Amino acid sequence: MFATLKFAALLLAVVVCWATQDYDYNDAEIDEEPTLGDSPYGSLWPLPQKVQISTVVFKLSGASFHIFDAKESSSGASCRLLQNAYRRYDEYIFTSSRKQGQNKSKKALASDMSELQVWITSADSECDSYPSVTSDESYKLSVDSPVAVLKAPKVWGALRGLETFSQLVYKDEYGAKSINRTDIHDFPRFAHRGLLLDTSRHFLPIKVILANLEAMAWNKFNVFHWHIVDDPSFPYLSRTFPQLSQHGAYQPYTHVYTPSDVKMIIEFARLRGIRVVPEFDTPGHTQSWGKGQKDLLTPCYSGASPSGSFGPVNPMLNTTYDFMSMFFKEVSTVFPDAYVHLGGDEVNFSCWKSNPDIQKFMEQQGFGMDYSKLESFYMQRLLDIVTTTNKGYMIWQEVFDNGVKLKSDTVVHVWMGNKVEEELQKVTEAGFTTILSAPWYLDYISYGQDWQKYYRAEPLGFKGTDTQKKLVIGGEACLWGEYVDATNLTPRLWPRASAVGERLWSDRDVRDLNDAYSRLAKHRCRMVQRGIPAEPLFTGYCAHEYKGV
Amino acid sequence: MFATLKFAALLLAVVVCWATQDYDYNDAEIDEEPTLGDSPYGSLWPLPQKVQISTVVFKLSGASFHIFDAKESSSGASCRLLQNAYRRYDEYIFTSSRKQGQNKSKKALASDMSELQVWITSADSECDSYPSVTSDESYKLSVDSPVAVLKAPKVWGALRGLETFSQLVYKDEYGAKSINRTDIHDFPRFAHRGLLLDTSRHFLPIKVILANLEAMAWNKFNVFHWHIVDDPSFPYLSRTFPQLSQHGAYQPYTHVYTPSDVKMIIEFARLRGIRVVPEFDTPGHTQSWGKGQKDLLTPCYSGASPSGSFGPVNPMLNTTYDFMSMFFKEVSTVFPDAYVHLGGDEVNFSCWKSNPDIQKFMEQQGFGMDYSKLESFYMQRLLDIVTTTNKGYMIWQEVFDNGVKLKSDTVVHVWMGNKVEEELQKVTEAGFTTILSAPWYLDYISYGQDWQKYYRAEPLGFKGTDTQKKLVIGGEACLWGEYVDATNLTPRLWPRASAVGERLWSDRDVRDLNDAYSRLAKHRCRMVQRGIPAEPLFTGYCAHEYKGV
C-alpha cells in the first residue's frame, strides 16, 4: 500500500497502516485479551508529544544512508557522545542488512532518505557534561526526502530523537528499510524517569547492568537509581574503607564493583543521557556495613547483655558521624550526579529499644520513648554532612514523614502503597519536589498482563494546586532483588518497565490501552531483536525470536 | 574439616557438614524467610530413596579420574548412549578444572577416587531402545576408594546414577574436587515424571527445547510432554499435510519443527532417558489446523448464515476421520513413544450449537441437546483410529468425565484445579492409570517462594485403596505458553519445576522444607554453573553467577 503512494502529498493527519512491519505480532483473538490492532503510531514507544506521520514512504539504503552532524550544529566530530550514538543507531537501524564491502559512496535515488542530520542548536551542546534533572531533552525531528533533520538544543534531546528515528524505520513487504514522512516535536512530561536496580540482595554482573542501561535508553529512561548496598551484601568497593566490601560483599573479589567498574557504568550511562544516582541507605538496611566497620551498628541486647546481633547504625556515637563524613565525601567524588539517595526507610526500633546506652541517650536528648525522634536526630546529622559535600539528596518518604528538616531541593521518594495521594499532597504542600514509585514495584509479579496496571497509574492523580503538581518531577520503577538476579532480571523488567517509561515521558492523555498494546508488542520485539530478552506480553511471536536460552 | 578425617571409619549415620561446597548460598536470616541451614544431604536433588554418606573424603584428580564401563557390564564401548553420558558428566564434574594437555596416565594417589565403573547388570542393557513407562530406572551407587561402582539393570538407571554421582562431587576449601564415601540405592517413586512445554502459543527455538531437556535430566524428569500445536499456531511440519504448518505456523519457514528437528529432539531426549510424548489436541484448540485444512473445522453460524469463523473439528463429516487417520498414522511413525496425547480438553459448544447441519446431525444421532455426546462421538472415533496405529493414548480428564469408552491402558490426565481428589478417586476406581498436573501449573506465577506450594502437593493424598493408588503413575509440571517464550521460559521453569521433580522421584516422606530449601539452593546454583539460567529462590548468591543477560 505504501509503495504506490510514494509521491503522494504529505498528509498531516496522523494516519498510517503499518501492515508490513518488521515486528509482527500475532493477533490475540483466540483468548479473551486486549485486541491487537495496528496503531497509527507504528512501534513508537514511548509515544512522542506531537507526531504527524504521512503515508509518503522513503527508502533507506544501507549503502548510502548515514547519520551525521548538520554543518550548523554546535557539536561536531569531536563530540564522542554523539559519534558513539550515531554508530549505535546505524547498527540498530541496519542490523545485518548493511553488507560489508558495499560501496558507501553509491548515489542515492530520488526517493531515498539519504541522511539524517543532527543539529545541536544551542551554543553549549553539553556534550561533555553529565545529564541532570534540568537537562533539556527536547528535540524536533523532521523526516523528509532526501534529508531528515533532528534538531535539539542539547545532546540529550539528540539522543532521544535518534531513538525515535530508529523506531520510525521498518521493513516494507519486500524487506526494504523504509520510513514515512514524519514530523515530531517531542519533550518529556517528567524530568525524572528512573529505574531502581538492587545489587545487594543479589549481585548483578556489570554486563547485566550495562545491558539494562541500554534498554533504559530505548525507553527514554534517564535515571539509574543504583540501590548498591543493603542488608545482605556490600558490593561497593570503597577506596577509603575497603574493608566494607572485603567483609560485607558476598565474595570480596568476584562480587564487588571496583572503582573502575563504577566509572565505566557512569560513563556508559552518560553516553545514553542517563544519570546514575547511587543509594547508600542508612540507618536501617545496613547489616552488611557492620561486617567491615566495627562499632558502626547498634549492638542489640537480650536482657542485660548484648545478644551478638546488631541493629541500625548507632546514632549516639561521634565515630559514626566521622565515618559517614569520610564515606560520603568519597561517594560525592566517585558519583558525579548532583544527587545522592540517602535512603532512611524501614528503620526497625526494636534493637535500639533493647540497648541500655541508647535508652540513656534518649533520656539525655529528651526524646522520651519516641524512637522516630532518634531516627530524625541521625538523619538530620547525616543530611548536614552530605550538604557539606555539595550534593543534593533524595530520601525515602519516612524521613519527611518523621519531620526531619530538609533542604529545599530535597527529593522525597514516595514508595508506600497506602495513602499515596495523601502523601503526595502533603509532600508537595510542604514545598518539596517528589518522585513516585508506589505503583511501580516491579518485583511484585503476577499472572497476566500486569503492564496495564503500571500503565494506568497517574502520578498527578492527587488533589492539589498547579504549583503542587509541578513539584512532582517524575517517578521510578523499582525492581528489588529478593527474587531477581542475572538469570531472570532482564525478562522480568522488560517490557513491564516500558509501561512506566511511557507514563513518565508521554502526554497525560496518552492512555489508550489497545493502542499501547499494539505499539508495545512491536517495541518488545524490537528490544528482542536488539539482543535484550524482553518477555512477551501475550500469545504471539516476533519475526526474530530471542537467540539465547 | 573433611580433610583431616580422610581415613576415619565409615560412619553409616547420614551426617555430613558441607561447609566448603562449591555452591555457596548466603543465609537468608535478614529477611523473614525459611532458614537455610546445611542439609546433611548436600546438594542432592531429587533426594535418592536410600542414602548413606560418611565423613570419609576422597579426592578426584582431573588428570586421572575417569568414568568407564565395568568389565562385567552387558553394555560396552558400542553403547553410544552411555559413552555420550560419560563425556557429559565428566564435563560437568570437572568444568574448567581439567586442563588440556594433562597427562591422563598419571598414577592416582591412594586417597584418590580414580574411577567410576558403570555396570549394566541385566543381559539387555536397552542401550538402543527408547525409554518407556515401564523402564527400570533403578541403580545402586557405591562410592569408595579407589573405585566407585554404579550398578543398574538398564542404561536408564545408569543415567540417573551418573547424575547423582555428579551431585555428590564438591570442592573442598582448597578448591580440590572431593567426594564422600557414600552408598545409595535409588529408584523413582513414580514412573511418569513429566514436563509440558507449549510450542504453539509461542514458538520455542530448538535450542531452548534441548537446553530444557538437559535440565530435565538433571532433575530426573523422564517425559517431555510436547504440546506441539494449539489454537494460535501449528509449528509441526507434517510430511503428509505440509499445508498445516505452511498456513498454520506463525511463519512457515522460521517458526516450524521440520521432521529432522523432531528427530533430533527425540534422540537428544532418548540419550537422557526422556520420552517424548507429543500432544495433538482435538477437537477443540484447533484454530490453527483450520488454516491449512479445508472443511476440518465446524463453520459457525450467525443466525441463518455462516459467520466466517470456525469452531472445533467438524465431527459429522467422514472427511474429518479420513484426515485424522492419515494424520495420526504419520504421527505414530514420527514419534516412537508408545503413547500419544490426544487432548480432548475445553471444547466450546457454542459454534456447534449455531450450525444447522450439526443440529440435524445431533437429531439423527439421538443426542438431544447434549453436545458432550457429540464430543464423545468424535473422541470415540478418534480413539479407535489411533488404536489402529498401535499407540496407547493419554487424554485430558474431560474425555473420561464425559464417559467416552477408553482402552484399559489409557492414561487420564487430571488438570482441573477443583475437586482434584474426587477426580483421582473416580478415575482410579474406574481402573484407569492417571497422571496429575492440577497442582503444578507453573505458568501461574506469583511473588515469593511458590516452589514450596508445588513441593507440598501430594499425588496420593486422596482416599482410595492400594490398588487405586498404584494407578497414579505420576504427574507433570505444565508451563503453558501464553506469557512464555525463549526470553523467559528457562528461568521461569527452573528451579520451580525441580520441586515437582523431587515430589515425583523421592520417597513420600521426603518433605522437610528447610532441608529441601538448602539442597535446592545449591542445586539451582549447580544448574546455573552448568549454563542454565535457573532463577534464585531468594536473596543470596552463587559462587559462579550466570554469565548471560
Side-chain angles (χ1 to χ4, degrees), chain A residues 201-202 207 250 255 443 447 482-483 485 487-488 492 524 535-542 545 547, chain B residues 201-202 207 250 255 443 447 482-483 485 487-488 492 524 535 537-542 545 547:
Chain A
R201 289 178 177 83
H202 287 97
K207 190 174 162 182
Y250 282 135
H255 288 58
D443 51 320
Y447 183 76
E482 281 85 348
Y483 299 102
D485 71 2
T487 62
N488 62 350
R492 190 163 290 192
R524 101 90 188 174
E535 70 179 17
L537 296 174
F538 192 55
T539 303
Y541 74 107
C542 298
E545 300 288 359
K547 298 284 182 271
Chain B
R201 289 179 177 82
H202 286 96
K207 190 174 162 182
Y250 283 134
H255 287 59
D443 50 321
Y447 184 76
E482 281 85 349
Y483 299 101
D485 72 2
T487 62
N488 61 350
R492 190 164 289 193
R524 101 89 188 174
E535 69 180 16
L537 296 174
F538 192 54
T539 302
Y541 74 107
C542 298
E545 301 289 359
K547 297 284 181 272

Side-chain angles (χ1 to χ4, degrees), chain B residues 209-266:
Chain B
I209 295 176
L210 299 185
N212 283 284
L213 284 166
E214 190 77 65
M216 284 173 68
W218 304 339
N219 290 276
K220 295 188 168 64
F221 279 96
N222 67 354
V223 181
F224 169 35
H225 175 162
W226 192 353
H227 189 85
I228 190 166
V229 300
D230 202 303
D231 281 327
S233 78
F234 196 102
Y236 173 73
L237 201 163
S238 160
R239 283 186 209 266
T240 320
F241 301 101
Q243 69 274 20
L244 288 170
S245 60
Q246 188 64 34
H247 299 286
Y250 283 134
Q251 287 189 340
Y253 302 110
T254 56
H255 287 59
V256 293
Y257 303 104
T258 66
S260 68
D261 291 340
V262 172
K263 214 168 168 179
M264 195 220 297
I265 286 169
I266 292 168

Side-chain angles (χ1 to χ4, degrees), chain A residues 288-358:
Chain A
S288 68
W289 302 52
K291 293 181 183 171
Q293 187 64 18
K294 207 169 157 285
D295 297 334
L296 181 65
L297 303 185
T298 308
C300 313
Y301 276 66
S302 178
S305 49
S307 69
S309 65
F310 295 87
V313 165
N314 193 329
M316 53 171 282
L317 301 181
N318 286 328
T319 51
T320 291
Y321 302 101
D322 296 342
F323 168 82
M324 291 296 170
S325 295
M326 290 175 71
F327 184 79
F328 279 99
K329 194 175 164 198
E330 172 183 317
V331 166
S332 75
T333 60
V334 169
F335 293 91
D337 199 81
Y339 281 80
V340 57
H341 201 302
L342 297 177
D345 59 322
E346 299 183 313
V347 181
N348 186 331
F349 297 148
S350 58
C351 181
W352 279 347
K353 285 180 184 167
S354 77
N355 182 308
D357 297 327
I358 297 283

Side-chain angles (χ1 to χ4, degrees), chain A residues 164-178:
Chain A
T164 301
F165 181 83
S166 76
Q167 296 187 357
L168 288 170
V169 178
Y170 59 94
K171 279 189 193 167
D172 74 4
E173 56 186 312
Y174 305 104
K177 295 283 177 179
S178 310

